[in-house]
Amino acid sequence: MITSKLPNVGITIFTQMSQLAAQTGALNLSQGFPDFDGPQALRDAVGRHIAQGHNQYSPMTGLPALRQQIAAKIARSYGANVDADQEVTVTPGATQAIFCAIAAVVHSGDEVIVFDPSYDSYEPAVQLAGGRCVHVQLGLDDFAIDFQKLGEALSPRTRMIILNTPHNPSGALISRAELDQLAALIRDRDIYLISDEVYEHLVFDGVPHASVLAHEELYRRAFVVSSFGKTYHVTGWKTGYVVAPAALTAELRKVHQYVSFCGVTPLQYALADYMAEHPEHVDELPDFYQAKRDLFCDLLAPSRFNFKRVAGTYFQLVDYSQIRPDLNDVDMAVWMTREHGVATIPISVFYQNPPQGQRLVRLCFAKREETLREAAEKLCVI
């Protein structure tokens, strides 16, 4: 008889809602992936490198040319200098990077603080490392960190805090002032950070992304994680990276080498080429996705959903309290999929203890214009 190490874990809500969308023929605005392709030059580069024979193992730490491009992008974006050899590691996806960082420093009995609503991969990774998550709820209206609650949650067993900015599912941002506040709070404590910044280039309205990479004090204790899939519209490539000080990187790589050893070689070659040839891509992303956000929100304005335009990510939260207050968000998501042809994600699944009366679902606007128009038409008649 198997004794499960994750007894409370089943199929993720993302898989469930995507499957339901496929079964019903609904528009899938649930799982966070674009319905359009990445840049043609990037896709062409993959075929070129496969044809050139770049099909064997890459270095465990990642292709040198790609690590150098990552370091160059960080210097350009945040004014921070990181060592491509000692501080940058390419991984098969950001989720694997997060898993390895947790496994590297969390010991049995350690506590890890996560902010609810929190992305679903954090807690299972902590549990598998023998740790325990302590959940601190973000503000109900603004999804901001409550530093009084955070301070009360700290204990001698606190080993790690996991940040997520821009935040999935809310789209909220952590400011530089909040990073300063966090630094002061944990300055004299032996606590590590994971800063999940996979949506780092999807920040809108002219607001700069406050990266932990640019916060010298916090970076000294941090693993900063990002995703090529999000940045280059190729989520199925499952390629990401983690940047950390040399001592933390060494510990992370000890785990990474036994989880996957390395990432996919031709994809790394293609990304290195494209980053070198098109550094402007990341600079253009905020306007690209803000245009989609604004179009979608303008189209939803006549609906009965209430919402504030998100500050980052490619997710828009909408409140359905004026439509079906009798339904919890899971039932609402199923009802919308089956009866109105639009699949969404309920927000309660991101909480340990969902707030009473919260009526929010998450919509992905990383879609073609025609998809957004069709979805909005369906949503406006609910």
Side-chain angles (χ1 to χ4, degrees):
M1 197 65 149
I2 296 175
T3 301
S4 177
K5 297 184 74 174
L6 296 171
N8 299 317
V9 172
I11 298 174
T12 72
I13 190 66
F14 309 106
T15 299
Q16 293 176 47
M17 295 308 301
S18 287
Q19 287 178 346
L20 184 60
Q23 292 167 7
T24 61
L27 294 174
N28 189 359
L29 270 60
S30 59
Q31 197 168 0
F33 60 83
D35 68 348
F36 49 87
D37 254 329
Q40 184 67 50
L42 176 61
R43 289 181 283 131
D44 289 345
V46 178
R48 183 172 68 250
H49 283 291
I50 290 174
Q52 290 174 356
H54 294 144
N55 302 305
Q56 308 310 323
Y57 294 128
S58 60
M60 180 268 288
T61 57
L63 194 73
L66 181 55
R67 286 187 280 108
Q68 290 161 9
Q69 287 300 321
I70 293 168
K73 187 207 74 166
I74 291 169
R76 191 170 61 250
S77 297
Y78 307 122
N81 295 314
V82 299
D83 187 310
D85 293 327
Q86 302 299 319
E87 299 180 66
V88 180
T89 306
V90 179
T91 60
T95 301
Q96 195 253 34
I98 292 166
F99 181 92
C100 291
I102 290 169
V105 299
V106 174
H107 294 257
S108 179
D110 284 347
E111 294 177 351
V112 176
I113 292 177
V114 297
F115 296 100
D116 284 0
S118 62
Y119 189 64
D120 68 342
S121 79
Y122 302 156
E123 187 153 24
V126 171
Q127 291 173 341
L128 289 171
R132 182 179 75 88
C133 279
V134 175
H135 294 257
V136 175
Q137 188 171 295
L138 296 172
L140 288 178
D141 295 326
D142 58 5
F143 296 94
I145 295 173
D146 183 326
F147 281 92
Q148 181 175 340
K149 288 183 179 178
L150 175 58
E152 293 168 353
L154 294 174
S155 82
R157 289 185 175 273
T158 305
R159 182 62 56 226
M160 174 177 278
I161 297 172
I162 301 180
L163 304 177
N164 179 202
T165 181
H167 180 253
N168 177 15
S170 74
L173 308 177
I174 296 176
S175 68
R176 172 68 191 216
E178 288 170 310
L179 292 181
D180 290 342
Q181 199 169 351
L182 175 62
L185 185 62
I186 64 174
R187 184 164 293 144
D188 298 321
R189 294 175 179 266
D190 185 20
I191 294 174
Y192 300 103
L193 298 178
I194 288 177
S195 189
D196 179 354
E197 302 183 17
V198 298
Y199 298 100
E200 61 176 322
H201 298 297
L202 280 65
V203 180
F204 310 134
D205 303 310
V207 176
H209 169 54
S211 175
V212 168
L213 289 166
H215 197 288
E216 185 176 349
E217 181 178 357
L218 287 180
Y219 177 67
R220 288 197 293 267
R221 59 173 83 212
F223 301 90
V224 183
V225 176
S226 195
S227 165
F228 293 113
K230 304 297 190 297
T231 300
Y232 295 97
H233 323 307
V234 285
T235 61
W237 287 18
K238 292 302 297 179
T239 303
Y241 61 90
V242 56
V243 185
L248 292 183
T249 292
E251 293 304 310
L252 174 124
R253 289 173 177 177
K254 290 178 183 180
V255 179
H256 163 66
Q257 68 184 341
Y258 294 117
V259 174
S260 64
F261 183 74
C262 66
V264 180
T265 301
L267 301 185
Q268 293 187 57
Y269 273 97
L271 286 162
D273 284 357
Y274 191 79
M275 290 179 75
E277 295 165 5
H278 297 280
E280 76 283 356
H281 176 89
V282 297
D283 301 323
E284 296 169 352
L285 271 184
D287 288 344
F288 175 81
Y289 273 114
Q290 183 174 332
K292 291 186 177 295
R293 180 203 67 174
D294 290 344
L295 170 66
F296 193 44
C297 288
D298 288 347
L299 292 169
L300 286 180
S303 76
R304 291 195 292 162
F305 293 99
N306 292 318
F307 58 88
K308 298 176 183 176
R309 300 185 185 217
V310 292
T313 77
Y314 47 48
F315 301 115
Q316 177 66 52
L317 294 187
V318 296
D319 185 312
Y320 64 88
S321 298
Q322 302 303 312
I323 301 173
R324 290 295 305 268
D326 57 310
L327 295 181
N328 66 40
D329 60 353
V330 175
D331 292 339
M332 181 68 175
V334 172
W335 180 75
M336 288 174 63
T337 306
R338 292 190 180 279
E339 301 300 325
H340 292 278
V342 179
T344 67
I345 292 291
I347 298 308
S348 63
V349 301
F350 296 91
Y351 285 90
Q352 182 183 49
N353 296 303
Q356 290 294 318
Q358 190 180 70
R359 295 290 183 265
L360 295 173
V361 293
R362 190 195 77 177
L363 302 165
C364 176
F365 58 81
K367 308 296 177 184
R368 294 169 295 163
E369 181 176 335
E370 53 265 40
T371 304
L372 295 176
R373 290 187 179 279
E374 184 179 356
E377 184 177 349
K378 293 175 180 292
L379 293 168
C380 283
V381 299
I382 297 178

